[in-house]
Amino acid sequence: MDIKKIFWILSWLVAGVTFAMILIHYGDIPDEVPMHFDATGVVDRYGSKNELFILPILSVLLILLFQFMTGNSIKINKHKQGFKNEAQVTVTKIFMSQMALYCTLLFGWLVYQSMAVAVGKQTGLSSYFLVATFGGFIILLVLYYIQLKKVKE
């Protein structure tokens, strides 16, 4: 199976699991839940438990957007022919599928953390969360850049 398809399937599975997690525990979640954390991981906004559905919905929209973008990239780059361009398109499609999975995992983790804080299992996010989040994005971007450089040589 193509690696892009694996990333897409995993993205959809994570989005589905996030929805399921909310639905399964919906009755146990208090009416007011943390909806935003500051840079140090402390809750700075509360909202309705129905707002927990926002991040999974955004995950689905991001997956659809990234899939649309990767599906139309060949049409957009149609005027450029050749092996290097096709390889660049493939690398970009893989990157987009990785970003979709990363964002979906991140949103799912945030929903889980909000639910854990709401029921009293935690007091906030880890202080390393923000660093880890940006670190993950930077790692994906660097790997993408390296792959593009290999294709261009």
Side-chain angles (χ1 to χ4, degrees):
M1 184 182 288
D2 184 8
I3 190 73
K4 295 182 304 286
K5 286 184 183 178
I6 292 170
F7 286 129
W8 290 126
I9 290 168
L10 288 173
S11 296
W12 284 109
L13 284 173
V14 171
V17 166
T18 304
F19 272 113
M21 177 177 61
I22 296 169
L23 292 173
I24 289 168
H25 297 288
Y26 194 78
D28 302 327
I29 303 169
D31 291 334
E32 190 175 73
V33 296
M35 292 311 303
H36 192 268
F37 300 88
D38 67 14
T40 62
V42 176
V43 178
D44 62 2
R45 186 177 86 75
Y46 287 87
S48 164
K49 66 182 177 180
N50 292 328
E51 290 181 57
L52 287 173
F53 290 102
I54 292 172
L55 287 178
I57 290 169
L58 283 176
S59 292
V60 168
L61 293 174
L62 274 174
I63 294 168
L64 291 171
L65 175 66
F66 287 163
Q67 285 184 322
F68 173 78
M69 288 167 55
T70 59
N72 287 304
S73 64
I74 291 176
K75 294 175 193 168
I76 293 168
N77 290 308
K78 195 171 164 180
H79 65 283
K80 297 180 182 177
Q81 299 296 323
F83 171 74
K84 284 187 178 180
N85 184 56
E86 288 177 34
Q88 289 170 345
V89 168
T90 300
V91 168
T92 301
K93 286 182 175 187
I94 292 170
F95 173 71
M96 295 298 282
S97 64
Q98 290 170 331
M99 287 299 290
L101 178 58
Y102 185 75
C103 290
T104 306
L105 285 167
L106 180 64
F107 289 169
W109 182 249
L110 283 169
V111 168
Y112 171 78
Q113 294 294 306
S114 291
M115 291 170 55
V117 171
V119 297
K121 289 185 179 180
Q122 291 178 204
T123 58
L125 292 177
S126 164
S127 58
Y128 299 109
F129 181 78
L130 196 57
V131 173
T133 299
F134 285 117
F137 279 119
I138 289 169
I139 289 168
L140 283 175
L141 286 169
V142 167
L143 291 174
Y144 172 62
Y145 179 76
I146 290 169
Q147 290 298 315
L148 277 181
K149 289 296 266 183
K150 286 181 183 178
V151 169
K152 288 181 179 181
E153 293 174 354

